[in-house]
Amino acid sequence: MAWHLSILVMVTTCLSLFSISEQSSQTELLQQLRKQLEYPRQLDAWGSPSSDPCSTKPTAVLAVTCEGNAIRELKIIGDRITKAPKFSGFSVPNVTLSEAFVLDSFVTTLTRLTTLRVVILVSLGLWGPIPDKIHRLASLEVLDLSSNFLYGSIPPKLSVMSKLHTVTLDGNYFNGSVPDWLDSFSNLTVLRLQSNQLKGSIPASVGKAAMLTELALAGNSISGDIPNLGSLNKLEMLDLRDNELDGELPEMPTSVVTILLSKNSLKGEIPEQFGQLNRLQHLDVSFNFLVGSPPAELFALPNISYLNLAANMLSGSLLSSLTCSSTLGFVDLSTNRLTGDLPSCLNGNLNNKVVKFDGNCFSVDPAHQHEAKYCQQSHKGKGSNKDVGLVVTVVGILFVMLVLSLLLMASNKRSCQKVLAEKQFQQKHTQDNSISGMSSELLVNARCISQAVKLGTQVQPSHRIFSLEELKEATKSFERSAFLGEGAIGKLYKGKLENGTLIAIRCLALHQRYSIRNLKLRLDLLAKLRHPNLVCLLGHCIDSAVDESTVKRVFLVYEYVPGGTLSSYLSASSPEKTLKWCDRLQVLIAIAKAVHFLHTGIIPGSLSNRLKSSSILVDEHHMAKLSDYGLSIITEEIYKHEVIGQKKKYFQNDPTEM
């Protein structure tokens, strides 16, 4: 008996220890997610090492639901709601998570929480393509990743998540097509992909997603016809606004409650079947090319409350005996070609209805109607489509003529520049077969190529934050051999990153104190100055005081331009380096472009710049770039001081010669 009791105690102890270990593991995973999300303020409640996320009180922006030791729900609503004007798939400072963030690693951590049923991660600055491994969340029922910076295609592996019934990916940058595997979802009820960059047509397989109740694809570039949705007997909300759909209106399932199809190019007549949608409450087909007369039954549907038919090509007259539903509160018929009398049930003074009918040819309110002949033009059936086609054809011909004229002008301009560019292209021909795989023309026009290509991307490198340890390692603790020169704007060093990239580091001497927040705002502005003829600012490093209240100094990290300064090419002491007149003209044009960009290409313009021969760098291909630009953004006092004197020449090939 004692033996059995001992075994029972041991088993109970082991189960208890296993439970504690499992709970600890789940907590560690949540802390890892917090770190990967770069410690958003919404997760400050998890800051204490002893804090238990499962016991955190749910709020509007944070909720963790647990059953025993299993985490069932994770909801985090961030505050990164600003959208970048032009998001190119890379980290955007102060908008997305930093470039150190890797979505694949984040999803890997997330999928280790295998018991999750609900994942809501909104406005957190997540960026990158969603990896296929997300399907490892086999228990997931709700997925909401809206208002982030996710791009690429929607992963097909989502279709194998048999329990998933709600997918919300609104407000991202998905740029593939609408998935054609939606019929593989056995339980999909809600699909929201609004405000992305989806293209192509809506696949017919959507009509086979039998459990679908809500389909929202508004705000994309979807074209073609709307597929047959008649078999979706549970569909209640259809939102396809603001796309490029150009087919005719299909019949709708009788279960639908809301239909939003405005701002497309839909044509044809409104189907008579719409007058049989007894559950319909909200219909918006405004800003299309619909023709014919609207079905009279549409106004009398038992639940209709909102009816917007504005800005189409509807014609004919409405029945004087037209009946309106008692629930109808808003009707917009404006900007069509409707004629005759306005039915009495559409009198706005009755039943407190809001009725808009300007821009037609009704007999009432003539001050806001067209003359009758405006609406008597042929707009029956496909006749209006022919008129539209004629207009489109004429506009197309004019557009082609305009494009040909512009191409001819551009060709003449290139011919004038050919003599100046020929030598430059010949010198770069050898470089075209390099690992970078870039053509000579691309090297001329790219914003920041040079050594910066080696930073890990074959497009313009993004601005990033360097640590002081990285810069010390690159310059061997700023030893004398790395020192290039010193002036009123601080010391200059040459460095070499771990991946072999050569860089130039400007240690900026600040003449006034800034808070770290103030300085970061100024550095962000400076980082936006990108032009082919400006030395590319790769990043910065802030060396702050111990209390982090003020900044002692700041390091600016630039691409290294090995050719030397323009002054060294103008000196008679080095006749072998002296530029020919055609090369000098190229340099002048390049710097003029840089200055023009600084003055007019940004708002506000950067007017105080160091325009002198010693601040103009010429690379090995005689391509000129302006350095030390925009520094007045950081410290307005720089230009009040005389240059102390260059101890060494700026960005020279061999530091020992300076």
Side-chain angles (χ1 to χ4, degrees):
M1 186 66 179
W3 180 72
H4 287 86
L5 183 60
S6 298
I7 293 178
L8 180 62
V9 170
M10 290 176 63
V11 170
T12 303
T13 303
C14 289
L15 290 175
S16 176
L17 290 175
F18 176 78
S19 176
I20 294 173
S21 174
E22 184 179 11
Q23 182 178 5
S24 175
S25 175
Q26 302 269 14
T27 301
E28 289 176 0
L29 289 174
L30 289 177
Q31 292 293 349
Q32 180 66 20
L33 290 175
R34 176 174 176 251
K35 179 181 179 181
Q36 290 173 324
L37 290 174
E38 299 175 5
Y39 303 101
R41 64 176 183 81
Q42 291 80 5
L43 302 184
D44 287 347
W46 299 357
S48 172
S50 60
S51 62
D52 180 11
C54 286
S55 61
T56 304
K57 183 179 179 180
T59 65
V61 298
L62 177 62
V64 179
T65 303
C66 303
E67 293 180 5
N69 295 322
I71 299 177
R72 300 298 187 189
E73 176 185 356
L74 176 62
K75 181 180 80 170
I76 308 173
I77 310 296
D79 52 11
R80 294 179 182 264
I81 58 176
T82 303
K83 284 295 182 181
K86 291 184 179 180
F87 176 65
S88 58
F90 298 96
S91 173
V92 180
N94 300 322
V95 177
T96 68
L97 294 175
S98 72
E99 60 183 12
F101 173 78
V102 179
L103 185 60
D104 188 271
S105 299
F106 176 79
V107 172
T108 299
T109 304
L110 188 67
T111 55
R112 292 172 66 188
L113 297 170
T114 56
T115 58
L116 277 173
R117 294 176 182 168
V118 177
V119 171
I120 301 175
L121 303 172
V122 176
S123 299
L124 292 171
L126 305 175
W127 64 275
I130 299 180
D132 280 338
K133 66 181 65 175
I134 196 170
H135 79 280
R136 297 175 186 173
L137 291 168
S139 301
L140 200 63
E141 299 175 6
V142 176
L143 176 64
D144 186 350
L145 301 176
S146 55
S147 298
N148 284 293
F149 296 83
L150 307 174
Y151 58 86
S153 299
I154 299 170
K157 284 288 188 179
L158 287 178
S159 62
V160 304
M161 302 170 72
S162 59
K163 296 182 180 180
L164 190 62
H165 60 73
T166 300
V167 178
T168 303
L169 301 174
D170 295 342
N172 282 286
Y173 292 85
F174 290 107
N175 50 8
S177 57
V178 179
D180 60 356
W181 33 260
L182 295 177
D183 54 335
S184 301
F185 277 107
S186 57
N187 293 307
L188 184 65
T189 58
V190 176
L191 178 64
R192 300 179 63 89
L193 304 175
Q194 299 183 110
S195 300
N196 281 281
Q197 298 175 3
L198 298 174
K199 302 178 181 65
S201 59
I202 302 175
S205 59
V206 171
K208 300 177 182 179
M211 302 299 293
L212 205 60
T213 62
E214 181 177 340
L215 177 62
L217 304 176
N220 286 284
S221 299
I222 303 171
S223 58
D225 297 336
I226 301 174
N228 183 4
L229 304 176
S231 61
L232 299 182
N233 296 323
K234 297 187 178 182
L235 186 67
E236 296 182 352
M237 201 279 283
L238 176 66
D239 187 357
L240 303 178
R241 293 171 296 168
D242 198 11
N243 276 288
E244 300 171 9
L245 299 167
D246 54 8
E248 296 187 357
L249 287 174
E251 293 187 353
M252 294 289 172
T254 56
S255 59
V256 70
V257 175
T258 301
I259 301 176
L260 305 175
L261 301 174
S262 61
K263 297 182 180 178
N264 281 284
S265 299
L266 298 170
K267 57 191 178 184
E269 299 185 359
I270 300 175
E272 293 290 337
Q273 186 259 355
F274 276 39
Q276 302 170 14
L277 302 177
N278 291 331
R279 296 191 62 195
L280 187 62
Q281 299 177 11
H282 194 125
L283 174 63
D284 187 352
V285 291
S286 59
F287 295 94
N288 282 286
F289 297 101
L290 301 176
V291 298
S293 299
E297 296 81 6
L298 202 56
F299 298 84
L301 290 172
N303 293 296
I304 193 72
S305 62
Y306 182 98
L307 185 59
N308 192 344
L309 309 178
N312 279 283
M313 302 171 69
L314 301 175
S315 59
S317 59
L318 301 177
L319 295 175
S320 58
S321 59
L322 186 73
T323 302
C324 295
S325 172
S326 60
T327 60
L328 188 58
F330 179 90
V331 179
D332 193 348
L333 303 172
S334 58
T335 319
N336 281 287
R337 297 178 183 271
L338 298 170
T339 60
D341 296 328
L342 189 69
S344 58
C345 79
L346 293 179
N347 189 326
N349 295 325
L350 297 176
N351 301 321
N352 295 320
K353 289 186 181 69
V354 176
V355 180
K356 298 182 178 182
F357 54 91
D358 294 351
N360 285 282
C361 298
F362 286 118
S363 58
V364 296
D365 192 19
H368 297 93
Q369 303 297 312
H370 293 288
E371 295 182 3
K373 62 181 181 180
Y374 174 83
C375 298
Q376 290 172 356
Q377 302 174 27
S378 177
H379 287 281
K380 297 180 181 180
K382 297 183 179 179
S384 61
N385 293 336
K386 293 180 180 178
D387 293 341
V388 173
L390 179 60
V391 172
V392 171
T393 301
V394 173
V395 172
I397 293 173
L398 293 175
F399 177 75
V400 170
M401 292 176 63
L402 177 61
V403 170
L404 290 175
S405 300
L406 292 175
L407 289 175
L408 182 60
M409 293 173 61
S411 177
N412 291 336
K413 184 177 181 181
R414 284 196 298 268
S415 297
C416 294
Q417 295 175 339
K418 185 175 180 180
V419 175
L420 290 177
E422 185 177 6
K423 181 179 179 180
Q424 185 174 353
F425 286 173
Q426 289 174 349
Q427 290 174 327
K428 294 186 178 182
H429 180 72
T430 305
Q431 306 295 327
D432 291 343
N433 299 320
S434 64
I435 297 176
S436 66
M438 298 182 180
S439 67
S440 295
E441 186 175 359
L442 181 59
L443 284 173
V444 173
N445 294 324
R447 288 188 172 182
C448 298
I449 304 296
S450 190
Q451 292 287 337
V453 163
K454 299 179 183 178
L455 282 178
T457 174
Q458 298 222 349
V459 292
Q460 178 180 345
S462 58
H463 185 92
R464 76 178 183 92
I465 299 175
F466 290 84
S467 66
L468 188 56
E469 287 71 24
E470 281 184 276
L471 301 187
K472 286 182 178 179
E473 183 177 352
T475 59
K476 297 182 180 179
S477 298
F478 298 99
E479 68 176 11
R480 186 168 182 80
S481 63
F483 181 67
L484 295 179
E486 182 176 5
I489 54 177
K491 297 180 179 180
L492 185 68
Y493 296 88
K494 176 182 176 181
K496 186 175 183 181
L497 297 179
E498 187 178 2
N499 62 359
T501 302
L502 294 177
I503 56 175
I505 306 169
R506 171 74 70 184
C507 179
L508 197 61
L510 297 179
H511 295 282
Q512 65 183 76
R513 296 291 182 179
Y514 291 114
S515 66
I516 291 182
R517 180 179 179 278
N518 188 313
L519 182 59
K520 284 183 177 179
L521 292 175
R522 293 168 181 266
L523 288 169
D524 288 341
L525 179 58
L526 184 60
K528 294 176 181 178
L529 302 181
R530 296 295 178 101
H531 189 273
N533 301 114
L534 295 178
V535 177
C536 187
L537 179 62
L538 303 178
H540 67 268
C541 170
I542 297 175
D543 185 14
S544 60
V546 177
D547 59 358
E548 296 190 352
S549 59
T550 57
V551 179
K552 296 192 298 182
R553 55 184 177 171
V554 61
F555 297 90
L556 302 180
V557 182
Y558 295 93
E559 64 169 327
Y560 183 78
V561 182
T565 65
L566 177 61
S567 58
S568 65
Y569 286 88
L570 302 178
S571 174
S573 59
S574 302
E576 71 281 356
K577 293 181 62 177
T578 303
L579 292 176
K580 297 181 180 178
W581 279 110
C582 59
D583 294 328
R584 297 189 186 198
L585 183 57
Q586 289 186 68
V587 170
L588 292 175
I589 292 173
I591 298 305
K593 290 180 179 179
V595 173
H596 182 263
F597 168 76
L598 292 172
H599 286 192
T600 64
I602 55 174
I603 299 176
S606 177
L607 303 179
S608 300
N609 298 285
R610 301 175 56 81
L611 188 57
K612 55 178 68 176
S613 61
S614 60
S615 60
I616 298 174
L617 309 183
V618 182
D619 66 13
E620 64 272 25
H621 305 299
H622 291 174
M623 181 176 177
K625 296 189 177 189
L626 181 64
S627 66
D628 294 339
Y629 56 88
L631 294 182
S632 60
I633 295 173
I634 300 178
T635 169
E636 296 86 347
E637 297 186 10
I638 284 180
Y639 302 102
K640 297 179 183 178
H641 298 266
E642 295 293 333
V643 176
I644 295 174
Q646 294 290 340
K647 292 183 179 179
K648 296 189 177 182
K649 295 180 181 179
Y650 192 20
F651 289 107
Q652 200 76 351
N653 273 327
D654 186 1
T656 60
E657 296 179 1
M658 295 182 263

